[in-house]
Amino acid sequence: MTNDERPIAWLALENGTPVLDVNGDEIGKVSEVIADEQKDIFSGIRWRHGILGSQHYVPADMIDTLTADAVHLRLSADDAQRQEQPG
């Protein structure tokens, strides 16, 4: 994360925002924000690598920072791909 990036609220997170692993490497883009807007509860994101790539889920507690420029994960790329989908 650069000094110019400011954290944003999950409500401002947009589909297509790059998803970065713990090393700062882009592993995909946000395809869906998982949340309950009525209760203001952010559960995580779904992301995919490429247009035809399979979707993956990352829970909110594995996300380090949300910015307008990127989602910064606390996970390696491999670990991010192995997260369980919510039931």
Side-chain angles (χ1 to χ4, degrees), residues 19-23 25-29 45-49 54-59 62-64 71-86:
V19 177
L20 309 181
D21 69 8
V22 70
N23 298 316
D25 297 323
E26 184 174 330
I27 60 172
K29 300 205 184 290
I45 62 165
R46 284 201 178 91
W47 63 275
R48 74 174 63 224
H49 182 74
S54 59
Q55 284 204 103
H56 303 282
Y57 170 75
V58 174
M62 293 291 109
I63 296 172
D64 186 41
V71 174
H72 299 265
L73 303 181
R74 295 183 174 142
L75 300 167
S76 68
D78 289 339
D79 289 340
Q81 291 179 16
R82 287 193 288 262
Q83 295 298 300
E84 294 290 323
Q85 296 283 339

PDB file of all heavy atoms in Angstrom, residues 19-23 25-29 45-49 54-59 62-64 71-86:
ATOM      1  N   VAL A  19      -7.315  -7.171  -6.348  1.00  0.00           N
ATOM      2  CA  VAL A  19      -7.112  -7.881  -5.084  1.00  0.00           C
ATOM      3  C   VAL A  19      -5.632  -8.250  -5.024  1.00  0.00           C
ATOM      4  O   VAL A  19      -5.114  -8.899  -5.945  1.00  0.00           O
ATOM      5  CB  VAL A  19      -7.985  -9.153  -5.009  1.00  0.00           C
ATOM      6  CG1 VAL A  19      -7.714  -9.916  -3.724  1.00  0.00           C
ATOM      7  CG2 VAL A  19      -9.467  -8.778  -5.107  1.00  0.00           C
ATOM      8  N   LEU A  20      -4.957  -7.814  -3.958  1.00  0.00           N
ATOM      9  CA  LEU A  20      -3.526  -8.051  -3.805  1.00  0.00           C
ATOM     10  C   LEU A  20      -3.264  -9.018  -2.661  1.00  0.00           C
ATOM     11  O   LEU A  20      -3.868  -8.901  -1.588  1.00  0.00           O
ATOM     12  CB  LEU A  20      -2.795  -6.736  -3.515  1.00  0.00           C
ATOM     13  CG  LEU A  20      -3.064  -5.565  -4.457  1.00  0.00           C
ATOM     14  CD1 LEU A  20      -2.250  -4.357  -4.037  1.00  0.00           C
ATOM     15  CD2 LEU A  20      -2.793  -5.940  -5.898  1.00  0.00           C
ATOM     16  N   ASP A  21      -2.341  -9.961  -2.885  1.00  0.00           N
ATOM     17  CA  ASP A  21      -1.991 -10.889  -1.813  1.00  0.00           C
ATOM     18  C   ASP A  21      -1.086 -10.195  -0.796  1.00  0.00           C
ATOM     19  O   ASP A  21      -0.774  -9.007  -0.935  1.00  0.00           O
ATOM     20  CB  ASP A  21      -1.371 -12.170  -2.379  1.00  0.00           C
ATOM     21  CG  ASP A  21       0.009 -11.981  -2.983  1.00  0.00           C
ATOM     22  OD1 ASP A  21       0.612 -10.892  -2.867  1.00  0.00           O
ATOM     23  OD2 ASP A  21       0.506 -12.955  -3.585  1.00  0.00           O
ATOM     24  N   VAL A  22      -0.646 -10.919   0.217  1.00  0.00           N
ATOM     25  CA  VAL A  22       0.153 -10.353   1.294  1.00  0.00           C
ATOM     26  C   VAL A  22       1.478  -9.764   0.784  1.00  0.00           C
ATOM     27  O   VAL A  22       2.037  -8.876   1.408  1.00  0.00           O
ATOM     28  CB  VAL A  22       0.387 -11.405   2.406  1.00  0.00           C
ATOM     29  CG1 VAL A  22       1.333 -12.503   1.935  1.00  0.00           C
ATOM     30  CG2 VAL A  22       0.866 -10.769   3.693  1.00  0.00           C
ATOM     31  N   ASN A  23       1.941 -10.231  -0.375  1.00  0.00           N
ATOM     32  CA  ASN A  23       3.189  -9.729  -0.960  1.00  0.00           C
ATOM     33  C   ASN A  23       2.973  -8.517  -1.861  1.00  0.00           C
ATOM     34  O   ASN A  23       3.931  -7.979  -2.405  1.00  0.00           O
ATOM     35  CB  ASN A  23       3.877 -10.839  -1.754  1.00  0.00           C
ATOM     36  CG  ASN A  23       4.249 -12.002  -0.879  1.00  0.00           C
ATOM     37  OD1 ASN A  23       4.771 -11.822   0.219  1.00  0.00           O
ATOM     38  ND2 ASN A  23       3.966 -13.199  -1.348  1.00  0.00           N
ATOM     39  N   ASP A  25       1.184  -8.621  -4.672  1.00  0.00           N
ATOM     40  CA  ASP A  25       0.980  -9.057  -6.049  1.00  0.00           C
ATOM     41  C   ASP A  25      -0.512  -9.165  -6.354  1.00  0.00           C
ATOM     42  O   ASP A  25      -1.270  -9.704  -5.551  1.00  0.00           O
ATOM     43  CB  ASP A  25       1.630 -10.423  -6.278  1.00  0.00           C
ATOM     44  CG  ASP A  25       3.137 -10.382  -6.089  1.00  0.00           C
ATOM     45  OD1 ASP A  25       3.760  -9.367  -6.465  1.00  0.00           O
ATOM     46  OD2 ASP A  25       3.689 -11.367  -5.557  1.00  0.00           O
ATOM     47  N   GLU A  26      -0.917  -8.670  -7.520  1.00  0.00           N
ATOM     48  CA  GLU A  26      -2.323  -8.765  -7.908  1.00  0.00           C
ATOM     49  C   GLU A  26      -2.668 -10.213  -8.239  1.00  0.00           C
ATOM     50  O   GLU A  26      -2.004 -10.848  -9.050  1.00  0.00           O
ATOM     51  CB  GLU A  26      -2.633  -7.874  -9.105  1.00  0.00           C
ATOM     52  CG  GLU A  26      -4.102  -7.891  -9.457  1.00  0.00           C
ATOM     53  CD  GLU A  26      -4.492  -6.906 -10.545  1.00  0.00           C
ATOM     54  OE1 GLU A  26      -3.842  -5.845 -10.655  1.00  0.00           O
ATOM     55  OE2 GLU A  26      -5.459  -7.207 -11.262  1.00  0.00           O
ATOM     56  N   ILE A  27      -3.723 -10.717  -7.588  1.00  0.00           N
ATOM     57  CA  ILE A  27      -4.156 -12.096  -7.829  1.00  0.00           C
ATOM     58  C   ILE A  27      -5.517 -12.157  -8.507  1.00  0.00           C
ATOM     59  O   ILE A  27      -5.965 -13.233  -8.879  1.00  0.00           O
ATOM     60  CB  ILE A  27      -4.166 -12.919  -6.521  1.00  0.00           C
ATOM     61  CG1 ILE A  27      -5.105 -12.316  -5.491  1.00  0.00           C
ATOM     62  CG2 ILE A  27      -2.750 -13.053  -5.976  1.00  0.00           C
ATOM     63  CD1 ILE A  27      -5.314 -13.192  -4.256  1.00  0.00           C
ATOM     64  N   GLY A  28      -6.179 -11.030  -8.650  1.00  0.00           N
ATOM     65  CA  GLY A  28      -7.483 -10.994  -9.295  1.00  0.00           C
ATOM     66  C   GLY A  28      -8.171  -9.673  -9.046  1.00  0.00           C
ATOM     67  O   GLY A  28      -7.541  -8.694  -8.641  1.00  0.00           O
ATOM     68  N   LYS A  29      -9.486  -9.684  -9.283  1.00  0.00           N
ATOM     69  CA  LYS A  29     -10.297  -8.478  -9.090  1.00  0.00           C
ATOM     70  C   LYS A  29     -11.576  -8.835  -8.343  1.00  0.00           C
ATOM     71  O   LYS A  29     -12.088  -9.949  -8.472  1.00  0.00           O
ATOM     72  CB  LYS A  29     -10.626  -7.847 -10.435  1.00  0.00           C
ATOM     73  CG  LYS A  29      -9.371  -7.444 -11.217  1.00  0.00           C
ATOM     74  CD  LYS A  29      -9.656  -6.353 -12.176  1.00  0.00           C
ATOM     75  CE  LYS A  29      -8.459  -5.997 -13.016  1.00  0.00           C
ATOM     76  NZ  LYS A  29      -7.394  -5.335 -12.343  1.00  0.00           N
ATOM     77  N   ILE A  45     -15.306 -10.750   0.482  1.00  0.00           N
ATOM     78  CA  ILE A  45     -15.425 -10.490  -0.960  1.00  0.00           C
ATOM     79  C   ILE A  45     -15.339 -11.806  -1.729  1.00  0.00           C
ATOM     80  O   ILE A  45     -14.799 -12.796  -1.250  1.00  0.00           O
ATOM     81  CB  ILE A  45     -14.312  -9.550  -1.479  1.00  0.00           C
ATOM     82  CG1 ILE A  45     -12.925 -10.188  -1.268  1.00  0.00           C
ATOM     83  CG2 ILE A  45     -14.414  -8.176  -0.846  1.00  0.00           C
ATOM     84  CD1 ILE A  45     -11.818  -9.528  -2.056  1.00  0.00           C
ATOM     85  N   ARG A  46     -15.890 -11.769  -2.928  1.00  0.00           N
ATOM     86  CA  ARG A  46     -15.618 -12.802  -3.919  1.00  0.00           C
ATOM     87  C   ARG A  46     -14.735 -12.127  -4.962  1.00  0.00           C
ATOM     88  O   ARG A  46     -14.922 -10.957  -5.289  1.00  0.00           O
ATOM     89  CB  ARG A  46     -16.904 -13.314  -4.554  1.00  0.00           C
ATOM     90  CG  ARG A  46     -17.655 -14.240  -3.636  1.00  0.00           C
ATOM     91  CD  ARG A  46     -18.630 -15.132  -4.409  1.00  0.00           C
ATOM     92  NE  ARG A  46     -19.293 -16.032  -3.485  1.00  0.00           N
ATOM     93  CZ  ARG A  46     -20.440 -15.770  -2.865  1.00  0.00           C
ATOM     94  NH1 ARG A  46     -21.063 -14.631  -3.086  1.00  0.00           N
ATOM     95  NH2 ARG A  46     -20.967 -16.651  -2.045  1.00  0.00           N
ATOM     96  N   TRP A  47     -13.779 -12.891  -5.452  1.00  0.00           N
ATOM     97  CA  TRP A  47     -12.875 -12.361  -6.469  1.00  0.00           C
ATOM     98  C   TRP A  47     -12.582 -13.436  -7.493  1.00  0.00           C
ATOM     99  O   TRP A  47     -12.799 -14.604  -7.257  1.00  0.00           O
ATOM    100  CB  TRP A  47     -11.578 -11.846  -5.832  1.00  0.00           C
ATOM    101  CG  TRP A  47     -10.766 -12.914  -5.155  1.00  0.00           C
ATOM    102  CD1 TRP A  47     -10.923 -13.381  -3.886  1.00  0.00           C
ATOM    103  CD2 TRP A  47      -9.690 -13.656  -5.706  1.00  0.00           C
ATOM    104  NE1 TRP A  47     -10.011 -14.366  -3.622  1.00  0.00           N
ATOM    105  CE2 TRP A  47      -9.232 -14.551  -4.727  1.00  0.00           C
ATOM    106  CE3 TRP A  47      -9.056 -13.674  -6.954  1.00  0.00           C
ATOM    107  CZ2 TRP A  47      -8.185 -15.436  -4.948  1.00  0.00           C
ATOM    108  CZ3 TRP A  47      -8.006 -14.549  -7.172  1.00  0.00           C
ATOM    109  CH2 TRP A  47      -7.576 -15.406  -6.173  1.00  0.00           C
ATOM    110  N   ARG A  48     -12.112 -13.007  -8.652  1.00  0.00           N
ATOM    111  CA  ARG A  48     -11.738 -13.961  -9.685  1.00  0.00           C
ATOM    112  C   ARG A  48     -10.504 -13.448 -10.420  1.00  0.00           C
ATOM    113  O   ARG A  48     -10.269 -12.256 -10.502  1.00  0.00           O
ATOM    114  CB  ARG A  48     -12.885 -14.277 -10.623  1.00  0.00           C
ATOM    115  CG  ARG A  48     -13.242 -13.202 -11.595  1.00  0.00           C
ATOM    116  CD  ARG A  48     -14.304 -13.616 -12.614  1.00  0.00           C
ATOM    117  NE  ARG A  48     -15.554 -13.920 -11.967  1.00  0.00           N
ATOM    118  CZ  ARG A  48     -16.300 -14.976 -12.264  1.00  0.00           C
ATOM    119  NH1 ARG A  48     -15.954 -15.813 -13.198  1.00  0.00           N
ATOM    120  NH2 ARG A  48     -17.433 -15.185 -11.649  1.00  0.00           N
ATOM    121  N   HIS A  49      -9.734 -14.411 -10.927  1.00  0.00           N
ATOM    122  CA  HIS A  49      -8.565 -14.110 -11.740  1.00  0.00           C
ATOM    123  C   HIS A  49      -8.973 -14.258 -13.195  1.00  0.00           C
ATOM    124  O   HIS A  49      -9.264 -15.363 -13.645  1.00  0.00           O
ATOM    125  CB  HIS A  49      -7.420 -15.063 -11.397  1.00  0.00           C
ATOM    126  CG  HIS A  49      -6.180 -14.766 -12.177  1.00  0.00           C
ATOM    127  ND1 HIS A  49      -5.380 -13.677 -11.910  1.00  0.00           N
ATOM    128  CD2 HIS A  49      -5.614 -15.401 -13.233  1.00  0.00           C
ATOM    129  CE1 HIS A  49      -4.375 -13.662 -12.754  1.00  0.00           C
ATOM    130  NE2 HIS A  49      -4.497 -14.697 -13.567  1.00  0.00           N
ATOM    131  N   SER A  54     -12.344 -19.002 -12.080  1.00  0.00           N
ATOM    132  CA  SER A  54     -13.339 -19.373 -11.070  1.00  0.00           C
ATOM    133  C   SER A  54     -13.346 -18.341  -9.945  1.00  0.00           C
ATOM    134  O   SER A  54     -12.349 -17.665  -9.685  1.00  0.00           O
ATOM    135  CB  SER A  54     -13.046 -20.771 -10.510  1.00  0.00           C
ATOM    136  OG  SER A  54     -11.762 -20.815  -9.942  1.00  0.00           O
ATOM    137  N   GLN A  55     -14.490 -18.234  -9.285  1.00  0.00           N
ATOM    138  CA  GLN A  55     -14.624 -17.292  -8.179  1.00  0.00           C
ATOM    139  C   GLN A  55     -14.033 -17.883  -6.902  1.00  0.00           C
ATOM    140  O   GLN A  55     -14.110 -19.084  -6.664  1.00  0.00           O
ATOM    141  CB  GLN A  55     -16.092 -16.941  -7.939  1.00  0.00           C
ATOM    142  CG  GLN A  55     -16.652 -15.991  -8.955  1.00  0.00           C
ATOM    143  CD  GLN A  55     -17.832 -15.242  -8.412  1.00  0.00           C
ATOM    144  OE1 GLN A  55     -17.699 -14.090  -8.061  1.00  0.00           O
ATOM    145  NE2 GLN A  55     -18.969 -15.886  -8.340  1.00  0.00           N
ATOM    146  N   HIS A  56     -13.466 -17.004  -6.093  1.00  0.00           N
ATOM    147  CA  HIS A  56     -12.917 -17.374  -4.797  1.00  0.00           C
ATOM    148  C   HIS A  56     -13.496 -16.423  -3.763  1.00  0.00           C
ATOM    149  O   HIS A  56     -13.904 -15.304  -4.084  1.00  0.00           O
ATOM    150  CB  HIS A  56     -11.392 -17.261  -4.800  1.00  0.00           C
ATOM    151  CG  HIS A  56     -10.740 -18.097  -5.858  1.00  0.00           C
ATOM    152  ND1 HIS A  56     -10.562 -19.451  -5.737  1.00  0.00           N
ATOM    153  CD2 HIS A  56     -10.255 -17.759  -7.079  1.00  0.00           C
ATOM    154  CE1 HIS A  56      -9.964 -19.914  -6.815  1.00  0.00           C
ATOM    155  NE2 HIS A  56      -9.781 -18.915  -7.655  1.00  0.00           N
ATOM    156  N   TYR A  57     -13.507 -16.865  -2.519  1.00  0.00           N
ATOM    157  CA  TYR A  57     -14.045 -16.065  -1.417  1.00  0.00           C
ATOM    158  C   TYR A  57     -12.940 -15.773  -0.412  1.00  0.00           C
ATOM    159  O   TYR A  57     -12.105 -16.637  -0.140  1.00  0.00           O
ATOM    160  CB  TYR A  57     -15.173 -16.838  -0.730  1.00  0.00           C
ATOM    161  CG  TYR A  57     -15.654 -16.218   0.557  1.00  0.00           C
ATOM    162  CD1 TYR A  57     -16.462 -15.090   0.537  1.00  0.00           C
ATOM    163  CD2 TYR A  57     -15.301 -16.760   1.782  1.00  0.00           C
ATOM    164  CE1 TYR A  57     -16.912 -14.516   1.714  1.00  0.00           C
ATOM    165  CE2 TYR A  57     -15.754 -16.193   2.972  1.00  0.00           C
ATOM    166  CZ  TYR A  57     -16.555 -15.073   2.924  1.00  0.00           C
ATOM    167  OH  TYR A  57     -16.990 -14.516   4.084  1.00  0.00           O
ATOM    168  N   VAL A  58     -12.935 -14.563   0.113  1.00  0.00           N
ATOM    169  CA  VAL A  58     -12.032 -14.200   1.210  1.00  0.00           C
ATOM    170  C   VAL A  58     -12.886 -13.544   2.293  1.00  0.00           C
ATOM    171  O   VAL A  58     -13.570 -12.544   2.027  1.00  0.00           O
ATOM    172  CB  VAL A  58     -10.926 -13.231   0.750  1.00  0.00           C
ATOM    173  CG1 VAL A  58     -10.096 -12.756   1.930  1.00  0.00           C
ATOM    174  CG2 VAL A  58     -10.029 -13.884  -0.281  1.00  0.00           C
ATOM    175  N   PRO A  59     -12.862 -14.098   3.520  1.00  0.00           N
ATOM    176  CA  PRO A  59     -13.633 -13.491   4.608  1.00  0.00           C
ATOM    177  C   PRO A  59     -13.024 -12.162   5.049  1.00  0.00           C
ATOM    178  O   PRO A  59     -11.821 -11.919   4.858  1.00  0.00           O
ATOM    179  CB  PRO A  59     -13.558 -14.532   5.720  1.00  0.00           C
ATOM    180  CG  PRO A  59     -12.318 -15.308   5.445  1.00  0.00           C
ATOM    181  CD  PRO A  59     -12.147 -15.284   3.957  1.00  0.00           C
ATOM    182  N   MET A  62      -9.672 -11.745   6.882  1.00  0.00           N
ATOM    183  CA  MET A  62      -8.433 -12.021   6.154  1.00  0.00           C
ATOM    184  C   MET A  62      -8.052 -10.866   5.229  1.00  0.00           C
ATOM    185  O   MET A  62      -7.099 -10.947   4.468  1.00  0.00           O
ATOM    186  CB  MET A  62      -8.564 -13.309   5.338  1.00  0.00           C
ATOM    187  CG  MET A  62      -8.680 -14.558   6.183  1.00  0.00           C
ATOM    188  SD  MET A  62      -7.121 -14.912   7.053  1.00  0.00           S
ATOM    189  CE  MET A  62      -7.563 -14.525   8.736  1.00  0.00           C
ATOM    190  N   ILE A  63      -8.833  -9.774   5.313  1.00  0.00           N
ATOM    191  CA  ILE A  63      -8.553  -8.575   4.527  1.00  0.00           C
ATOM    192  C   ILE A  63      -7.873  -7.568   5.438  1.00  0.00           C
ATOM    193  O   ILE A  63      -8.378  -7.230   6.505  1.00  0.00           O
ATOM    194  CB  ILE A  63      -9.849  -7.983   3.938  1.00  0.00           C
ATOM    195  CG1 ILE A  63     -10.469  -8.984   2.961  1.00  0.00           C
ATOM    196  CG2 ILE A  63      -9.571  -6.636   3.263  1.00  0.00           C
ATOM    197  CD1 ILE A  63     -11.846  -8.601   2.461  1.00  0.00           C
ATOM    198  N   ASP A  64      -6.699  -7.109   4.996  1.00  0.00           N
ATOM    199  CA  ASP A  64      -5.933  -6.151   5.791  1.00  0.00           C
ATOM    200  C   ASP A  64      -6.487  -4.739   5.633  1.00  0.00           C
ATOM    201  O   ASP A  64      -6.802  -4.084   6.611  1.00  0.00           O
ATOM    202  CB  ASP A  64      -4.457  -6.201   5.388  1.00  0.00           C
ATOM    203  CG  ASP A  64      -3.582  -5.344   6.271  1.00  0.00           C
ATOM    204  OD1 ASP A  64      -3.806  -5.338   7.501  1.00  0.00           O
ATOM    205  OD2 ASP A  64      -2.677  -4.678   5.740  1.00  0.00           O
ATOM    206  N   VAL A  71      -7.706  -4.090  -2.802  1.00  0.00           N
ATOM    207  CA  VAL A  71      -8.020  -4.841  -1.587  1.00  0.00           C
ATOM    208  C   VAL A  71      -6.724  -5.548  -1.197  1.00  0.00           C
ATOM    209  O   VAL A  71      -6.190  -6.337  -1.981  1.00  0.00           O
ATOM    210  CB  VAL A  71      -9.134  -5.873  -1.824  1.00  0.00           C
ATOM    211  CG1 VAL A  71      -9.347  -6.731  -0.588  1.00  0.00           C
ATOM    212  CG2 VAL A  71     -10.421  -5.184  -2.234  1.00  0.00           C
ATOM    213  N   HIS A  72      -6.212  -5.243  -0.018  1.00  0.00           N
ATOM    214  CA  HIS A  72      -4.951  -5.816   0.461  1.00  0.00           C
ATOM    215  C   HIS A  72      -5.271  -6.956   1.422  1.00  0.00           C
ATOM    216  O   HIS A  72      -5.884  -6.735   2.465  1.00  0.00           O
ATOM    217  CB  HIS A  72      -4.113  -4.749   1.168  1.00  0.00           C
ATOM    218  CG  HIS A  72      -3.753  -3.611   0.276  1.00  0.00           C
ATOM    219  ND1 HIS A  72      -2.567  -3.562  -0.406  1.00  0.00           N
ATOM    220  CD2 HIS A  72      -4.439  -2.487  -0.052  1.00  0.00           C
ATOM    221  CE1 HIS A  72      -2.524  -2.446  -1.123  1.00  0.00           C
ATOM    222  NE2 HIS A  72      -3.647  -1.782  -0.921  1.00  0.00           N
ATOM    223  N   LEU A  73      -4.857  -8.178   1.049  1.00  0.00           N
ATOM    224  CA  LEU A  73      -5.147  -9.360   1.855  1.00  0.00           C
ATOM    225  C   LEU A  73      -4.037  -9.650   2.862  1.00  0.00           C
ATOM    226  O   LEU A  73      -2.892  -9.232   2.670  1.00  0.00           O
ATOM    227  CB  LEU A  73      -5.327 -10.585   0.959  1.00  0.00           C
ATOM    228  CG  LEU A  73      -6.397 -10.502  -0.128  1.00  0.00           C
ATOM    229  CD1 LEU A  73      -6.449 -11.814  -0.900  1.00  0.00           C
ATOM    230  CD2 LEU A  73      -7.752 -10.165   0.467  1.00  0.00           C
ATOM    231  N   ARG A  74      -4.376 -10.417   3.879  1.00  0.00           N
ATOM    232  CA  ARG A  74      -3.408 -10.930   4.843  1.00  0.00           C
ATOM    233  C   ARG A  74      -2.958 -12.335   4.454  1.00  0.00           C
ATOM    234  O   ARG A  74      -2.343 -13.031   5.246  1.00  0.00           O
ATOM    235  CB  ARG A  74      -4.038 -10.987   6.232  1.00  0.00           C
ATOM    236  CG  ARG A  74      -4.383  -9.655   6.796  1.00  0.00           C
ATOM    237  CD  ARG A  74      -4.933  -9.784   8.190  1.00  0.00           C
ATOM    238  NE  ARG A  74      -5.118  -8.446   8.717  1.00  0.00           N
ATOM    239  CZ  ARG A  74      -6.117  -8.073   9.472  1.00  0.00           C
ATOM    240  NH1 ARG A  74      -7.039  -8.949   9.830  1.00  0.00           N
ATOM    241  NH2 ARG A  74      -6.207  -6.838   9.901  1.00  0.00           N
ATOM    242  N   LEU A  75      -3.277 -12.761   3.252  1.00  0.00           N
ATOM    243  CA  LEU A  75      -3.054 -14.127   2.786  1.00  0.00           C
ATOM    244  C   LEU A  75      -2.136 -14.176   1.571  1.00  0.00           C
ATOM    245  O   LEU A  75      -2.115 -13.229   0.772  1.00  0.00           O
ATOM    246  CB  LEU A  75      -4.394 -14.758   2.371  1.00  0.00           C
ATOM    247  CG  LEU A  75      -5.471 -14.877   3.415  1.00  0.00           C
ATOM    248  CD1 LEU A  75      -6.800 -15.206   2.757  1.00  0.00           C
ATOM    249  CD2 LEU A  75      -5.092 -15.938   4.418  1.00  0.00           C
ATOM    250  N   SER A  76      -1.457 -15.305   1.405  1.00  0.00           N
ATOM    251  CA  SER A  76      -0.729 -15.556   0.164  1.00  0.00           C
ATOM    252  C   SER A  76      -1.759 -15.855  -0.924  1.00  0.00           C
ATOM    253  O   SER A  76      -2.927 -16.129  -0.634  1.00  0.00           O
ATOM    254  CB  SER A  76       0.207 -16.751   0.336  1.00  0.00           C
ATOM    255  OG  SER A  76      -0.556 -17.936   0.484  1.00  0.00           O
ATOM    256  N   ALA A  77      -1.321 -15.834  -2.155  1.00  0.00           N
ATOM    257  CA  ALA A  77      -2.227 -16.148  -3.273  1.00  0.00           C
ATOM    258  C   ALA A  77      -2.803 -17.547  -3.124  1.00  0.00           C
ATOM    259  O   ALA A  77      -4.005 -17.754  -3.311  1.00  0.00           O
ATOM    260  CB  ALA A  77      -1.484 -16.003  -4.595  1.00  0.00           C
ATOM    261  N   ASP A  78      -1.960 -18.509  -2.773  1.00  0.00           N
ATOM    262  CA  ASP A  78      -2.436 -19.886  -2.603  1.00  0.00           C
ATOM    263  C   ASP A  78      -3.474 -20.002  -1.497  1.00  0.00           C
ATOM    264  O   ASP A  78      -4.500 -20.655  -1.655  1.00  0.00           O
ATOM    265  CB  ASP A  78      -1.272 -20.840  -2.316  1.00  0.00           C
ATOM    266  CG  ASP A  78      -0.392 -21.065  -3.534  1.00  0.00           C
ATOM    267  OD1 ASP A  78      -0.857 -20.831  -4.665  1.00  0.00           O
ATOM    268  OD2 ASP A  78       0.765 -21.475  -3.336  1.00  0.00           O
ATOM    269  N   ASP A  79      -3.211 -19.365  -0.355  1.00  0.00           N
ATOM    270  CA  ASP A  79      -4.158 -19.417   0.756  1.00  0.00           C
ATOM    271  C   ASP A  79      -5.467 -18.709   0.403  1.00  0.00           C
ATOM    272  O   ASP A  79      -6.543 -19.153   0.802  1.00  0.00           O
ATOM    273  CB  ASP A  79      -3.557 -18.805   2.022  1.00  0.00           C
ATOM    274  CG  ASP A  79      -2.476 -19.680   2.631  1.00  0.00           C
ATOM    275  OD1 ASP A  79      -2.431 -20.897   2.327  1.00  0.00           O
ATOM    276  OD2 ASP A  79      -1.675 -19.156   3.426  1.00  0.00           O
ATOM    277  N   ALA A  80      -5.387 -17.618  -0.343  1.00  0.00           N
ATOM    278  CA  ALA A  80      -6.588 -16.888  -0.752  1.00  0.00           C
ATOM    279  C   ALA A  80      -7.486 -17.744  -1.631  1.00  0.00           C
ATOM    280  O   ALA A  80      -8.710 -17.664  -1.560  1.00  0.00           O
ATOM    281  CB  ALA A  80      -6.217 -15.597  -1.467  1.00  0.00           C
ATOM    282  N   GLN A  81      -6.883 -18.601  -2.451  1.00  0.00           N
ATOM    283  CA  GLN A  81      -7.659 -19.465  -3.332  1.00  0.00           C
ATOM    284  C   GLN A  81      -8.289 -20.643  -2.595  1.00  0.00           C
ATOM    285  O   GLN A  81      -9.224 -21.260  -3.092  1.00  0.00           O
ATOM    286  CB  GLN A  81      -6.779 -19.989  -4.467  1.00  0.00           C
ATOM    287  CG  GLN A  81      -6.388 -18.895  -5.415  1.00  0.00           C
ATOM    288  CD  GLN A  81      -5.494 -19.380  -6.540  1.00  0.00           C
ATOM    289  OE1 GLN A  81      -5.386 -20.566  -6.798  1.00  0.00           O
ATOM    290  NE2 GLN A  81      -4.858 -18.450  -7.206  1.00  0.00           N
ATOM    291  N   ARG A  82      -7.816 -20.948  -1.401  1.00  0.00           N
ATOM    292  CA  ARG A  82      -8.323 -22.098  -0.655  1.00  0.00           C
ATOM    293  C   ARG A  82      -9.364 -21.735   0.408  1.00  0.00           C
ATOM    294  O   ARG A  82      -9.824 -22.619   1.128  1.00  0.00           O
ATOM    295  CB  ARG A  82      -7.156 -22.817   0.032  1.00  0.00           C
ATOM    296  CG  ARG A  82      -6.287 -23.583  -0.913  1.00  0.00           C
ATOM    297  CD  ARG A  82      -5.353 -24.514  -0.157  1.00  0.00           C
ATOM    298  NE  ARG A  82      -4.305 -23.799   0.528  1.00  0.00           N
ATOM    299  CZ  ARG A  82      -3.074 -23.632   0.063  1.00  0.00           C
ATOM    300  NH1 ARG A  82      -2.748 -24.123  -1.094  1.00  0.00           N
ATOM    301  NH2 ARG A  82      -2.180 -22.979   0.765  1.00  0.00           N
ATOM    302  N   GLN A  83      -9.747 -20.484   0.519  1.00  0.00           N
ATOM    303  CA  GLN A  83     -10.735 -20.094   1.529  1.00  0.00           C
ATOM    304  C   GLN A  83     -12.093 -20.718   1.228  1.00  0.00           C
ATOM    305  O   GLN A  83     -12.483 -20.851   0.068  1.00  0.00           O
ATOM    306  CB  GLN A  83     -10.862 -18.562   1.602  1.00  0.00           C
ATOM    307  CG  GLN A  83      -9.606 -17.872   2.082  1.00  0.00           C
ATOM    308  CD  GLN A  83      -9.219 -18.286   3.479  1.00  0.00           C
ATOM    309  OE1 GLN A  83      -9.983 -18.104   4.417  1.00  0.00           O
ATOM    310  NE2 GLN A  83      -8.042 -18.853   3.616  1.00  0.00           N
ATOM    311  N   GLU A  84     -12.819 -21.081   2.271  1.00  0.00           N
ATOM    312  CA  GLU A  84     -14.141 -21.703   2.130  1.00  0.00           C
ATOM    313  C   GLU A  84     -15.197 -20.663   1.770  1.00  0.00           C
ATOM    314  O   GLU A  84     -15.212 -19.564   2.339  1.00  0.00           O
ATOM    315  CB  GLU A  84     -14.548 -22.386   3.428  1.00  0.00           C
ATOM    316  CG  GLU A  84     -13.682 -23.570   3.797  1.00  0.00           C
ATOM    317  CD  GLU A  84     -13.879 -24.752   2.870  1.00  0.00           C
ATOM    318  OE1 GLU A  84     -15.023 -24.986   2.448  1.00  0.00           O
ATOM    319  OE2 GLU A  84     -12.875 -25.420   2.563  1.00  0.00           O
ATOM    320  N   GLN A  85     -16.077 -21.019   0.877  1.00  0.00           N
ATOM    321  CA  GLN A  85     -17.212 -20.168   0.525  1.00  0.00           C
ATOM    322  C   GLN A  85     -18.198 -20.140   1.687  1.00  0.00           C
ATOM    323  O   GLN A  85     -18.358 -21.156   2.376  1.00  0.00           O
ATOM    324  CB  GLN A  85     -17.919 -20.711  -0.710  1.00  0.00           C
ATOM    325  CG  GLN A  85     -17.071 -20.691  -1.956  1.00  0.00           C
ATOM    326  CD  GLN A  85     -16.944 -19.316  -2.568  1.00  0.00           C
ATOM    327  OE1 GLN A  85     -17.741 -18.425  -2.333  1.00  0.00           O
ATOM    328  NE2 GLN A  85     -15.911 -19.134  -3.362  1.00  0.00           N
ATOM    329  N   PRO A  86     -18.871 -19.022   1.926  1.00  0.00           N
ATOM    330  CA  PRO A  86     -19.875 -18.993   2.988  1.00  0.00           C
ATOM    331  C   PRO A  86     -21.049 -19.920   2.656  1.00  0.00           C
ATOM    332  O   PRO A  86     -21.372 -20.106   1.481  1.00  0.00           O
ATOM    333  CB  PRO A  86     -20.312 -17.535   3.036  1.00  0.00           C
ATOM    334  CG  PRO A  86     -19.976 -16.979   1.703  1.00  0.00           C
ATOM    335  CD  PRO A  86     -18.800 -17.778   1.201  1.00  0.00           C
TER     336      PRO A  86
END
